[in-house]
Amino acid sequence: SKAFWQRSSVVHSLRMTSVALLGLLFFQVVFSQRHHLSATNPSLKTGFTSICQTLGCTIEAFKNIDAFKIDSSSFQKATTPATDSAQTQSFAFKLAIKNGADLATAIPAVELTLTDANDKAVLRRVLFANDLGFNGDTLAANGDWSGAMTLAVTPSSSMPPVTGYRVLLFYP
């Protein structure tokens, strides 16, 4: 059996298999990092795009949630009513975020959680950047952005009054 593994054809086959497996591993790493590589090296994007047309994948904007920081946010009762309904409450929500990355990064979604006096969630809503007035898919390197919107809330009889909020950035 030792002689089998020392035969030149077996050794050659094992070497070729090892090289092929290393090549596949390299391709897998490059493929899984295609969004980041396209963002850092725009010249590679055309090559990835043609490969993805064949494989049925896409090139998306680079995502790095750790790059984003919430600079400020505010949530308060709006001065103008949301609708004609007396029960509907209107709130003004403002948000300012900063991209700390050195390259353009996909803008995240926002989870806005309205809370009661005990900081328990009363209502959750996912807001996308275009809901807050952002046009585009990415925020420039080291860029900042702020947006605002008015929310209309119609409380039910079992819903406690909204007294606070929490904001979370995430990628859906």
Side-chain angles (χ1 to χ4, degrees):
S1 98
K2 217 177 196 185
F4 173 79
W5 293 107
Q6 293 176 347
R7 288 163 75 191
S8 65
S9 61
V10 172
V11 171
H12 180 71
S13 295
L14 289 174
R15 285 182 182 154
M16 294 306 292
T17 302
S18 296
V19 168
L21 289 174
L22 282 173
L24 285 173
L25 178 62
F26 176 77
F27 178 76
Q28 183 179 6
V29 169
V30 168
F31 182 76
S32 69
Q33 296 297 315
R34 68 188 180 277
H35 308 299
H36 183 260
L37 291 169
S38 294
T40 56
N41 301 306
S43 61
L44 296 176
K45 189 169 185 172
T46 55
F48 281 123
T49 302
S50 64
I51 290 170
C52 278
Q53 285 176 344
T54 305
L55 298 177
C57 60
T58 59
I59 303 295
E60 299 174 358
F62 175 61
K63 296 178 181 177
N64 181 5
I65 198 66
D66 294 329
F68 286 96
K69 303 294 180 239
I70 298 173
D71 274 347
S72 66
S73 66
S74 68
F75 183 81
Q76 56 194 16
K77 277 198 173 186
T79 55
T80 57
T83 63
D84 294 334
S85 172
Q87 290 184 343
T88 301
Q89 298 174 343
S90 181
F91 295 95
F93 174 61
K94 295 178 184 176
L95 177 69
I97 61 174
K98 179 166 180 54
N99 176 9
D102 290 333
L103 55 120
T105 307
I107 195 89
V110 177
E111 180 188 74
L112 175 63
T113 304
L114 307 183
T115 60
D116 64 9
N118 295 323
D119 201 35
K120 290 188 179 177
V122 173
L123 186 68
R124 281 194 174 105
R125 184 163 178 199
V126 173
L127 307 171
F128 295 98
N130 60 346
D131 296 331
L132 296 164
F134 185 81
N135 295 319
D137 295 330
T138 61
L139 187 57
N142 299 304
D144 54 359
W145 170 80
S146 60
M149 73 178 298
T150 301
L151 297 162
V153 177
T154 306
S156 66
S157 59
S158 63
M159 184 173 143
V162 173
T163 59
Y165 72 102
R166 290 189 298 261
V167 178
L168 174 74
L169 301 177
F170 74 100
Y171 287 117

